[in-house]
Amino acid sequence: MSDSLSPESPAPGAMPPAAEAPFGAGPPSSFPPPMPWRRKLKIAGWIVAAFLALFMALIAWLAITAPLSRSLQPIAPPSISLMSADGKLIARRGAIIDKPVTMADLPAHVPQAFMAIEDRRFQTHWGIDPRGIARALWHNIWSDGASQGGSTITQQLAKGVFLSSDRTFGRKAREAMIALWLEAWLTKDQIMERYLSNVYFGDNVYGLRAASLHYFNRRPERLTVAQAAMLAGLLKAPSRLAPTSNLKGARARADLVTQAMVEAGYLTQAERNALRPVRLDLRAEAEATSGTYFADWVLPQARDRAGAVYGAQEVATTLDSRMQRFAEGAVRRAGLGGAQAALVAMKPDGSVVAMVGGKNYEKSSFNRAVQARRQPGSTFKLFVYLAAFRSGMTPDDMIDDTPITTGAYRPANHGGQYRGRITLRQAFAISSNVAAVRLTQKVGVDAVIKVARDLGVTAPLTQDLSLALGTSEIPLIELAQAYAAVAAGEWPVMAHGLPPEERGWFESLMDRQRKFDSSDLEMIRDLLSSAANRGTGSAAALRTSTFGKTGTTQDSRDAIFVGYAGGIVTAVWVGNDDNSPLPGAAGGGLPAHIWRDFMSRAIDEPVEEAAPEELDGNLVNAIANVTVETDIGNVSLGVEGNGLRLDIGPATVRIPIDQATPATPPPAVAPTRPADNAPAGP
């Protein structure tokens, strides 16, 4: 018997072979059998039904919330009475509106001007413009300036007629849906008619017909190319560009519109070049509306809060009528001559309690506290020194106050005075230019910009060492916000004229304030106290604890004092509207005196009454702020209505014109210090 196994015999312990599969058959499948076609059809039917139900629900929602008939009605904001925090009437405002326009009656260049600057692909898109959104997104990511929008004219109509101005994703999504809804049911001409009849043109004027009559005293059917371009240009910033208060800005914007019309093919370059500057022909309104600088600033937000109703509304604001009266009085008494002044006062949480945008609202409604951008001078050094403290330095660290002899940028101290090796506290108090630049070199320009952005500065900032001396233009209200953050110990602080509304937990979580590092806060307050009480700002010093900083720009074009005391933060600017020099002006002179005049009353600290101002403008501009350095401190000589004002440190002596010799001055309390510096950079 053989021990070998035959090929057919399985090995011991092996599994028996599987049955041989028929030829051509594969291995058994591990997948379930295919779904019957009837079941596939049923599931597809369910999906289609669900989409149809969702679509019908969306149509019903749009029909209820965005009825087409509403877009036929011009926006008629309610008559609003703005009330101060203590219940007094500030201003009563009502909108100027007129009949809607008809596309068939308008010259072709009128809608073309709006399309060229607002929505060049209006005739081809379906309500939203992906290319425009992508372009705006790219611009906003890479630019360090104003944001750019990607909304179409249809979206702007949807927002203006049906939605609020919230900047939220939900509102933008509803805006896009309503835009598609409008495009589906209206023609392009109908959309344009409704848009032009509703949009805001500044000066409380709504709609193209009202704007055409208001600014040019002519019907929109007779608008010229240049006039249409100016009106189209106002939509970017109607309050700021309104030609009644900013004709230069409105004309510059109109030039951009006409160039856009050339690029869009609506005009030839020769036709554009032949256009003449627009001249206004204002129509007298039968019933003038009252206004103030504060009312103009807060009105757009007040309208949003009042809602789309037609009855008269009262809106409470943060303004304190008593402090507003003190602010106006301080500016009036200042002896400005031909110069202008602005003042904004707020609580540390940003609640604005007083605002003065110029000497006379009736003569000029341009708000220099909010709309003007001027160089802040040495008040910007707040951000430089905070950046230094963030990097680990202290007020007792030493810095060279000596001429900078290397590099392309070589700033100088005011008057060419240098003190050698000094502490940061001393450098801040005397407002040393070279010390600020050396600190910026040490910590980096980006670190300084980061501090400014953290504290609420949104204006474009230069990326060079001259930034340390305040050469970038910033609105006065943003400076006040930054100093308010130091007063509050939290950042950022946003100025507001209406009491804050209750916010949801998610919004509060995303937009919460951040606290200063306790040591950084203590050190910067130490420096601000030193500058305001023993440094260049000592003319502003009060009996209560005073914190602040002076600023004077090159050639004395701007003079500023920003500081806080007694729970009030106040910023004061003095200068000329045409940016011409103001000889002798310094932040520690007239602005500091206006600040002290206002603040002493605002916090109920007794102050000597100043004489009212009735002086020749050229004389005041020449000698209103003469500051010299003496062995007893910084002495400032000023002119008032009935004589001279002599300041030695925080003390003030007034000399009548007919008095031969001044009274004996009080003893000096401030150490020797220079006048506030002017940036030597560009």
Side-chain angles (χ1 to χ4, degrees):
M1 189 170 178
S2 172
D3 293 331
S4 62
L5 298 175
S6 66
E8 294 79 19
S9 304
M15 295 293 292
E20 190 174 326
F23 178 76
S29 174
S30 60
F31 297 98
M35 185 181 297
W37 67 271
R38 284 191 176 88
R39 189 175 179 190
K40 287 183 179 178
L41 188 62
K42 184 180 293 186
I43 293 176
W46 290 343
I47 294 174
V48 171
F51 273 111
L52 285 174
L54 182 62
F55 179 74
M56 294 304 294
L58 178 62
I59 293 295
W61 176 76
L62 288 170
I64 294 171
T65 61
L68 296 175
S69 59
R70 193 192 303 177
S71 66
L72 288 169
Q73 302 168 357
I75 297 176
S79 172
I80 290 183
S81 296
L82 298 176
M83 312 301 293
S84 68
D86 48 342
K88 296 183 179 179
L89 179 67
I90 300 170
R92 183 174 289 116
R93 303 296 294 269
I96 302 171
I97 59 174
D98 213 309
K99 295 181 296 183
V101 295
T102 303
M103 282 287 287
D105 298 333
L106 294 176
H109 57 255
V110 173
Q112 287 170 354
F114 289 86
M115 288 188 289
I117 198 66
E118 292 291 324
D119 186 2
R120 207 168 292 180
R121 284 180 288 277
F122 172 71
Q123 296 291 356
T124 57
H125 63 63
W126 286 14
I128 56 176
D129 183 7
R131 288 172 59 187
I133 294 172
R135 181 191 68 249
L137 182 62
W138 179 264
H139 175 274
N140 295 341
I141 290 175
W142 294 106
S143 69
D144 183 28
S147 61
Q148 188 180 93
S151 294
T152 65
I153 281 177
T154 315
Q155 285 177 278
Q156 292 179 47
L157 174 63
K159 172 188 170 183
V161 175
F162 300 107
L163 301 171
S164 70
S165 59
D166 302 347
R167 292 186 176 183
T168 63
F169 176 79
R171 199 271 295 163
K172 292 295 290 184
R174 293 195 301 275
E175 176 186 293
M177 284 190 291
I178 294 174
L180 293 171
W181 162 259
L182 293 173
E183 290 277 350
W185 292 97
L186 301 174
T187 66
K188 289 289 185 180
D189 280 359
Q190 289 173 324
I191 291 172
M192 181 61 78
E193 288 171 353
R194 288 159 171 75
Y195 172 73
L196 294 178
S197 299
N198 283 322
V199 74
Y200 181 52
F201 287 94
D203 271 9
N204 206 29
V205 175
Y206 290 78
L208 181 64
R209 186 175 302 280
S212 179
L213 291 168
H214 175 71
Y215 292 118
F216 308 122
N217 200 19
R218 64 169 57 195
R219 294 179 289 108
E221 293 81 7
R222 297 181 56 245
L223 284 171
T224 66
V225 172
Q227 290 168 339
M230 177 173 283
L231 292 178
L234 299 183
L235 303 190
K236 177 180 176 62
S239 296
R240 178 170 61 85
L241 294 174
T244 48
S245 58
N246 187 10
L247 182 58
K248 181 179 178 181
R251 283 177 170 169
R253 179 67 178 169
D255 288 342
L256 294 178
V257 176
T258 54
Q259 185 58 45
M261 293 177 73
V262 172
E263 294 169 1
Y266 300 137
L267 289 178
T268 66
Q269 191 64 49
E271 288 172 332
R272 177 186 183 270
N273 294 341
L275 295 175
R276 303 181 66 179
V278 176
R279 301 185 65 177
L280 301 183
D281 183 8
L282 299 175
R283 182 178 72 170
E285 299 298 335
E287 196 173 320
T289 56
S290 61
T292 66
Y293 295 109
F294 177 84
D296 290 350
W297 175 62
V298 82
L299 184 64
Q301 187 182 357
R303 290 207 182 284
D304 279 350
R305 188 166 295 190
V309 295
Y310 291 89
Q313 299 288 300
E314 283 192 2
V315 177
T317 71
T318 60
L319 193 81
D320 186 308
S321 62
R322 171 177 163 272
M323 292 193 189
Q324 179 66 25
R325 187 171 66 254
F326 293 155
E328 292 171 356
V331 170
R332 187 174 57 252
R333 288 187 293 269
L336 292 168
Q340 279 286 355
L343 181 153
V344 59
M346 62 182 66
K347 295 179 181 178
D349 67 355
S351 301
V352 174
V353 295
M355 179 181 288
V356 178
K359 290 191 302 184
N360 190 316
Y361 179 86
E362 296 300 325
K363 292 182 178 179
S364 171
S365 62
F366 180 67
N367 192 337
R368 296 156 188 84
V370 176
Q371 295 172 284
R373 289 188 176 186
R374 304 295 291 248
Q375 291 185 357
S378 293
T379 59
F380 194 86
K381 291 174 183 174
L382 170 78
F383 310 117
V384 175
Y385 282 78
L386 261 174
F389 296 154
R390 283 185 177 183
S391 72
M393 301 183 73
T394 72
D396 295 317
D397 285 341
M398 306 299 289
I399 191 82
D400 286 332
D401 182 38
T402 56
I404 295 176
T405 58
T406 60
Y409 182 55
R410 300 186 182 184
N413 282 352
H414 179 71
Q417 297 187 9
Y418 302 91
R419 288 162 178 75
R421 193 83 170 155
I422 59 176
T423 65
L424 296 191
R425 183 182 295 103
Q426 292 170 319
F428 191 83
I430 65 173
S431 205
S432 167
N433 282 343
V434 294
V437 171
R438 284 194 166 96
L439 282 178
T440 303
Q441 286 177 315
K442 183 178 180 65
V443 303
V445 173
D446 289 342
V448 176
I449 292 177
K450 176 67 166 57
V451 174
R453 296 290 184 233
D454 285 347
L455 269 61
V457 174
T458 62
L461 301 174
T462 58
Q463 294 274 349
D464 56 51
L465 292 175
S466 70
L467 176 71
L469 306 185
T471 56
S472 295
E473 296 177 340
I474 298 175
L476 187 68
I477 197 168
E478 290 195 358
L479 274 179
Q481 289 176 171
Y483 280 73
V486 176
E490 297 180 325
W491 52 268
V493 169
M494 303 305 295
H496 54 272
L498 300 182
E501 293 182 303
E502 186 176 350
R503 302 190 300 172
W505 69 269
F506 181 76
E507 187 179 5
S508 299
L509 180 66
M510 296 302 295
D511 296 335
R512 69 183 186 279
Q513 288 181 309
R514 299 181 60 180
K515 291 187 177 297
F516 281 91
D517 178 87
S518 58
S519 60
D520 291 350
L521 185 63
E522 181 181 354
M523 289 187 290
I524 197 63
R525 286 176 173 173
D526 176 9
L527 264 58
L528 290 172
S529 175
S530 178
N533 293 281
R534 296 176 297 281
T536 57
S538 60
L542 300 166
R543 292 188 178 91
T544 190
S545 298
T546 307
F547 305 82
K549 184 72 185 77
T550 57
T552 311
T553 65
Q554 196 168 25
D555 297 328
S556 296
R557 298 177 190 276
D558 304 276
I560 301 171
F561 186 86
V562 189
Y564 64 91
I568 302 296
V569 184
T570 301
V572 178
W573 166 86
V574 173
N576 289 320
D577 280 342
D578 61 2
N579 206 32
S580 60
L582 194 62
L590 206 53
H593 286 285
I594 295 173
W595 189 93
R596 186 173 183 269
D597 186 356
F598 165 73
M599 288 291 291
S600 60
R601 290 171 168 81
I603 65 174
D604 294 322
E605 182 172 294
V607 65
E608 181 182 352
E609 286 290 335
E613 172 264 321
E614 287 293 342
L615 296 174
D616 177 72
N618 294 328
L619 174 64
V620 173
N621 278 0
I623 61 174
N625 273 298
V626 179
T627 305
V628 295
E629 183 178 88
T630 71
D631 291 336
I632 61 172
N634 203 34
V635 179
S636 177
L637 178 65
V639 180
E640 293 183 345
N642 62 350
L644 302 178
R645 181 191 67 243
L646 179 65
D647 298 300
I648 304 177
T652 298
V653 176
R654 287 181 169 79
I655 308 168
I657 288 294
D658 57 357
Q659 186 170 318
T661 58
T664 303
V669 296
T672 301
R673 59 176 176 79
D676 185 35
N677 58 288

